[in-house]
Amino acid sequence: MSVKEIFETMDYGPAPESAAEALAWLVDQGDRFGHFINGAFTTPGEGFDSRNPATGEVLATLSQATQDDVDAAVAAARSAQPKWEQLGGAGRARYLYAIARLLQKHSRLFAVLESLDNGKPIRESRDIDIPLAQRHFYYHAGMAQLKDSELPEAQALGVCGQIIPWNFPLLMLAWKIAPALAMGNTVVLKPAEYTSLTAMLFADICQQAGVPKGVVNIVTGDGAVGEMIVAAEVDKIAFTGSTAVGRRIREATAGSGKELTLELGGKSAYVVFDDADIDSAIEGLVDAIWFNQGQVCCAGSRLLVQEGIADRFYDKLRARMDGLRIGNPLDKCIDVGAVVDPVQLQTIQTMVENNTAGEMHQVSCVMPENGCYYPPTLITGLETSDPLMQEEIFGPVLVASTFRTPAEAVELANNTRYGLAATVWTENVNLALDIAPKLVAGVVWINATNLFDAAAGFGGVRESGFGREGGWEGLTAYTKPKGTPKALAPVEAVSGEGAPHDPLDRTAKMYVGGKQARPDSGYSRAIWGKSGLLGHVGLGSRKDVRNAVEAAAGAKGWAKATGHLRAQILYYIGENLSARADEFAHRIDAMTGKKGGAKEVETSIQRLFSAAAWADKYDGQVHGVPIRGVALAMKEPTGVIGALCADEAPLLGLVSVMAPAIAMGNRVVLAASEPYPLAATDFYQILATSDVPAGVVNILTGVHADLAKPLASHLNVDAVWSFSSTNLSAQIEKAAAGNLKRTWVNNATATDWSVDHSKRFLQAATEIKNIWVPYGE
Ligand code: NAI
């Protein structure tokens, strides 16, 4: 375009960023990369090309890691880990800070390399990806510094396997590596096969920063390498990518004892009310769905507009779309660059071509002739059930529908299997703050969109995965409590052989929806004490689990009850238990044949009081994020929690799980101690007289192995915990992969119930939702 043409059309002229430095760096590396293992680059092996999606040109050749490479990387990370942890928080902080400084120093090189490799506009890599990656290292240098004083009870997990996607290559690397290193872990990271180059440059930076050998290891390759890392001797897998692969990783790691966090897909709602500042909301959409060609897990890809303004809004939106500039990612005037790879382009094309519903608008500008480009697209008039309203497209395609009332907006927004993010536009602060907590999502932006910061945790609920990245909450994903776990031996019921029979039928029923319930199986089991038959309990089965979950799901009101009310009810349970303490103590002694009953009852009462105390104090935070505004980190109940209670502590095990869970507004389905269930069945008499609303606590009896799978596979259960002495970890984690529910399983290790672990339980019983609220001029 000539200067004359620019003057005549008033159009933007090209303003290309030079690729020379980045290409020269690739040449310096020989255009071929090995892996970064134990502080050095390996000799390049069999590999694959990394191409510039805007031109199709080969940028470099990367090596496909072999099993030996992965083993070497894990071994290097393993041997480096103890020393790295012993360096102490302040020692590690120095390295993280050095990395941050070097990222800053080389930021232009990183930005250009990222845009060349990924196809994203240089404006984005320069102003968003790279600065946010630096920020993450600075922030976590601070976290390392504070670790020893603020998290003295936490220790590193060990070696973390980290698998990242191609949409924010360096930023996702920073999100994974910075917190892991800050807490004293070492890592083996695999970048996505389309976009490994900035990870290689990062390895170079680690060398320059003098990061000790083996602390950071980077292996390249495709999903097969990812599978090798998942199967390796690592202590944790952190994954960001598609829900399908996340689910496979959940299944593959089931029962292994490996920690797991998954940051998966989304179909995030973008809700525009009729009083919104329409122009801002439209500009927001440019950032929501055309940012990074829509290849953003939290993209505002599902527009919901209030009916009265829909036509006007769509007209303005189409006009704005037609002004978007699409082309060479290295051109600083470009809004939309290239899609990452022909494979991804094909996926987008196929999904849109298969859609016959609604009305489609695609931008009318001239598209580049070559390269992986897809025109920004809007499809209006879709129904909730249309596939494009439900499936993640991961491209620059916005789908839209309308709503009439705020209640309908919430219902439509939540009508998805995902729960990553949501955006709300309205000038009415009451409406915004009423809607935000009702949206099922890990992040909500009010009158803004796609804001990120290291101080505000990011992550989802439902099939968007579990775990948070960033903030204090992100650190829990890289730490565990200090100490070495002890093995938990199976606890056997007292045998009744030879003891006298009591002809009286004392069959304790289960407790479902606030009522006593007979087991669906019609079968029961005798519970013996040393002195004879103590009674019978029902053998719960799938049907009983379903009834209990239905009751729990129905008791939604509990989540909205105030902490103050929940505290009062917990105190009341404690008081009522106290009044019958002797009776419970005798019952426990009779079942276990030991003399610990009185102590167990007393500790249970304390546990109830402790949960009551926390009910109105386990608060969220207000994060000082770098916008004019705040991010409110709100703690929300997880939902319906199914728990297999400890066998060895028939009352205390149940109370220790139940009390913090319901204190936070969850509803629970509890499988009583398998060998000693009568304390639990006696306990519901206490619940029934303590104003606990029906359905909040449901108690089942029977064989844990029979109850675990129906609980873990039930779609209305949000989390499953197991403290059973039967090792059901593999079974539970595998079944939980269906709807990616949260799990907390003991992997046959013991919990010391005499210690108050309430904080850990409170944490497991809550999800953090970050609500971003900009304010001011
Ligand atoms: P993907 O989930 O297959 O790839 C992400 C990472 O996982 C890559 O590093 C890949 O090599 C690795 N991987 C693949 N299979 C694996 C396995 N079995 N075990 C361990 N690691 C494995 O994503 P893909 O195929 O590149 O994109 C497909 C769709 O996934 C996209 O269209 C989009 O819908 C979604 N996606 C979502 C992302 C997010 O941030 N939530 C990021 C990337 C893709």
Side-chain angles (χ1 to χ4, degrees), residues 163-167 190-193 222-223 226-227 239-242 245 248-249 264-265 297 344 392 394:
I163 300 165
I164 57 171
W166 39 260
N167 51 348
K190 189 193 84 64
E193 51 273 43
D222 58 15
E227 282 181 30
F239 172 79
T240 298
S242 60
V245 172
R248 280 171 65 180
I249 294 178
L264 309 175
C297 49
Q344 186 63 16
E392 185 177 40
F394 228 64

Side-chain angles (χ1 to χ4, degrees), residues 467-509:
R468 293 289 179 270
E469 300 191 283
W472 289 96
E473 61 267 33
L475 300 180
T476 53
Y478 286 100
T479 53
K480 62 182 179 188
K482 277 191 176 154
T484 314
K486 291 201 185 83
L488 175 62
V491 181
E492 301 292 339
V494 173
S495 160
E497 235 174 295
H501 257 262
D502 182 345
L504 255 185
D505 177 22
R506 291 202 208 100
T507 302
K509 297 196 184 67

Side-chain angles (χ1 to χ4, degrees), residues 51 88 116 214 261 275 309 340 496 580 682-683:
R51 290 174 186 272
L116 281 173
T261 45
D275 67 345
I309 57 160
V340 72
R580 289 174 59 181
D682 292 348
F683 186 66

